[in-house]
């Protein structure tokens, strides 16, 4: 793997009007900014404008902080509803993964990180079962076992412990890799826009529990998976990525579970990559994924 | 197109037990039956056995009627819950298509029939709007315009007229090619197992009206279509075929509609072919598609 | 179908350097140009920059001619290797289709045009067999039968006749919808960048004749289709669109042909749409499809 | 994971004629054999018949050896070109994996084995680089590092060493998980029908070295992977499984490599599962995959 060149990544959403592209491009051009990737999108229904741009870090005479300061003035011109951020690809993204007993998504992410494909700073894996500890630690990653009792008080304590463990790392992404516990509203709020879940169905079909069983009962010819941001409404957060795989009458529920796992892994890995590269802009219940 | 050799197609479902395959295969072998295609399936959940077999018509010393008579004795041995049928590929399947204003599925089916790909006896097209009449008639197919008033009495009259027009042809398939009218329960019953609908979503997501609008609102990353048998419960009949296509944030509702149409056409054409070839065996809400 | 708003479509390719986005966006912004869709791409290997932008026609105080004149000055600043064009969505694209005996792609395109999905000015269909005349004329489109003799002189005469028929319409696209005749080099040259072919394989696999037979022999598990620009080198022109469909051991060559046709239709329709909307920019043997 | 019930798996290929299904089914029925899965296929081009059947082990009054002995008599009746085998799902399949430096396929297989999804007896991993040793051993699997010198004599020695290490385990599958060394003809022969390779292209496109670079140069819109049996002719063995993923102009070679890896992993895992379950029957250059 060669080291990719360092880039500043700028993303922005604001009410659409004439001249936004020119204003941002002009700002960058004035300082010699070399744009290596640029995405623009206008949503005609909401009248909202979105952009994401990657600029070669060595092409502008700033560091990240100064770029932020200077760009803030440009953003201010675009109205007070403008939302924007600027990041630096040289800062590795911090990630924490939450798991339960099933390991396929965790195995997949550890493999991607171990092979260098996904270049992130995986700070910790937290499991409500201990079984995935050894493989996590074999990859040199700390594993925390936080048991989840059935009673609501015990569960609240467990979530408090998880929150403390997670927040200590100030992660850019909290990945629910088949975590199987419903996050309380305050955690959804605290991790808003950073908590990614993988749901094992093609949402909105088969939300809730045992989606493969539901799919089997209904006799669908495809099963799927959905990576979405976690919100207080269960399985209803903005969707980042989805995919499906064909099944037929020869597939038992166990076969659907097995085939579906491959899609879960892919969809979660793609969704996480898009999130960490700053490619996902949320707007209401929908996402723009550049 | 070369004429495919004539075949007898046998399909059967019954409670599973030891020796069914041997009994049927033995019966055919005793008469020299040359099996050119055979599918077997056992559903462990319901304990039901399914099979479909194609036999070269010239390999057995019977005509269709005698084969039916003789096979009835075999089927009887398999228990009184056994369901079976035998058909002859030399008898062209009769089809009636119901349409509304949107023509993409009709255009597609007419093209398949006109090019010889789908070798069926299309008896009539019935539309509740007149606009698809000319293209239907250009293919040499009779078109009947049956207007559907908004009031329930007028609608009942219109359905009675449609039923008469359809039933006159004793069709093997009644295809609702984006018909957009909900069949009354008595028609669902009368055409049970013969009426195929194409729904413009990946069911069970977005049942009911305006599925592409629903899909857009939810921000899904794939849209799809579902071919299913019509039952009294709306959009809940046994699914024959489904497929999806990728969409993203650049797709407006109109784009989703356009992309979705291609999937609707494919899914309906595949589902109809499977139905007409006797490949679809229903069992409860699920289907076996050999 | 609602009429989409009128737009000017600008596309441009030139050697990459700092400030191109700002220059173009600045030009548009100076005249109040409202960008509704914008794509940018830089190819790091060739150092080439590509863009395509759609501007609301009523947002700029120009007609098409004046926009061209004024933009020419901007393009000139970007260097003498710059290639660009500006078009007007209000001018319907002119299309001529060439066919042989197989009608599935023609049926599909006629259906799309007839239903209003593909809003083009189809000027003529030219066939080297007469069988597709009636359906073409049923859609109100002129059909010309130009027989192709086997001898090279007769073939040259036939091509001369085809060329005359085509060029009379100054088409934006010449669609080889399974035309099955190899265009002579001078026609490839004359129609360069306008002639689209559909090849019935996933190129570069199975170039040349009888690709489905080749695919069957090789035992591949997917068959596909490729829409590409026609160049003098057979089946080697820049690829616009490709797709595949799964096959297995139960599929005979005839089954592969049937399944493949569905992919041919889709791939050709998508490729043609992209071409007509000015979304395809060629660079060497590769394409950028915005 | 519940333990699946024990089954005997019978597969057979022979020249087609009337009565084969009846003969085999009759044999099983006579002994009370409960068929839980059955596949039949006739290839009209070669006139060859194929079947694979799974029988509940507890339904027949035999052990594996006696079933083999008794079935041999049935097979003999079907002609001397008949090829068949009977296996027992209770005997775990032995696997050896060969790797080079790239670990994505190995990580994936280790994850599937570690999570119990792929229930095999992985005896050893052999690498011509040492880097994948630690993760292999973290899964409790022995790792052997066999360096491959550049000179042909050194290479021959290395292959001799690999062969010894592999053959000691009498594996049911030798998996070349991106091994990147061309097997000598005698090893192709020795491991015939047991050595599975994953090639990182949609064969027959882009055989040989650097397929993603070739794909990039050609400008294809999909990249793929192929799992095939290793034969003496490079990248030309019978194909077991293939799949593809969409790419576009924004994908550099490195992006294609990354996206392609996901397909390589899936295709290899699916191909290996089919092989180990006895679902793949070879016939010439083609495969039947039940």
């Amino acid at each position: 793997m060669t080291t990719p060149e360092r880039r500043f990544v700028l993303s922005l959403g604001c009410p659409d009007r004439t001249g936004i592209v020119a204003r941002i491009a002009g700002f960058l051009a004035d300082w010699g900014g070399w744009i290596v990737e640029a995405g623009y999108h206008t949503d005609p229904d909401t009248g909202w404008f979105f952009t994401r741009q990657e600029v070669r870090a060595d092409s502008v005479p700033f560091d990240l902080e100064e770029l932020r300061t200077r760009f803030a003035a440009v953003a201010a011109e675009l109205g007070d509803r403008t939302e924007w951020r600027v990041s630096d690809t040289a800062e590795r993204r911090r990630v924490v993964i939450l798991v339960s007993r099933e390991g396929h998504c965790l195995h997949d992410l550890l493999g991607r990180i171990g092979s260098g494909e996904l270049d992130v700073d995986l700070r910790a894996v937290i499991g409500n079962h201990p079984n995935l500890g050894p493989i996590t630690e074999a990859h040199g990653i700390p594993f925390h076992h936080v048991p989840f009792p059935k009673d609501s008080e015990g569960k609240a304590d467990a979530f408090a412990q998880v929150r403390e463990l997670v927040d200590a790392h100030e992660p850019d992404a909290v990945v629910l890799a088949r975590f199987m516990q419903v996050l309380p509203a305050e955690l959804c709020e605290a991790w808003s826009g950073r908590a990614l879940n993988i749901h094992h169905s093609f949402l909105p079909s088969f939300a809730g529990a045992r989606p493969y069983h539901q799919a089997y009962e209904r006799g669908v010819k495809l099963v799927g998976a959905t990576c979405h941001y976690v919100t207080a409404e269960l399985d209803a957060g903005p969707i980042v990525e989805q995919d499906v795989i064909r099944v037929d009458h020869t597939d038992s529920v166990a076969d659907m579970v097995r085939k579906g796992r491959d899609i879960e892994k892919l969809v979660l890995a793609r969704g996480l990559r898009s999130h960490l590269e700053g490619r996902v802009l949320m707007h209401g219940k929908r996402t723009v994924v550049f």
Side-chain angles (χ1 to χ4, degrees), chain A residues 157-224:
Chain A
D157 286 351
F159 269 120
Q161 203 181 334
V162 167
R163 180 173 185 170
E164 202 177 307
L165 286 165
V166 168
D167 288 351
H169 298 292
E170 297 183 35
D172 298 289
V174 185
V175 181
L176 282 66
R178 299 295 309 275
F179 179 49
M180 310 303 282
Q181 297 285 336
V182 179
L183 288 201
E186 67 269 20
L187 270 187
C188 296
E189 176 66 24
W191 297 340
S192 173
R194 293 185 293 150
L196 281 170
N197 185 47
I198 180 73
H199 184 77
H200 40 317
S201 85
F202 179 61
L203 289 173
S205 287
F206 313 132
R210 296 164 63 88
Y212 292 117
H213 288 79
Q214 294 183 57
Y216 179 87
E217 292 297 325
R218 184 61 189 90
V220 291
K221 301 300 183 189
L222 300 161
V223 293

Side-chain angles (χ1 to χ4, degrees), chain A residues 100 127-134 143 145:
Chain A
S100 183
N128 64 341
H129 290 276
N131 61 308
L132 296 171
F143 181 87
H145 176 212

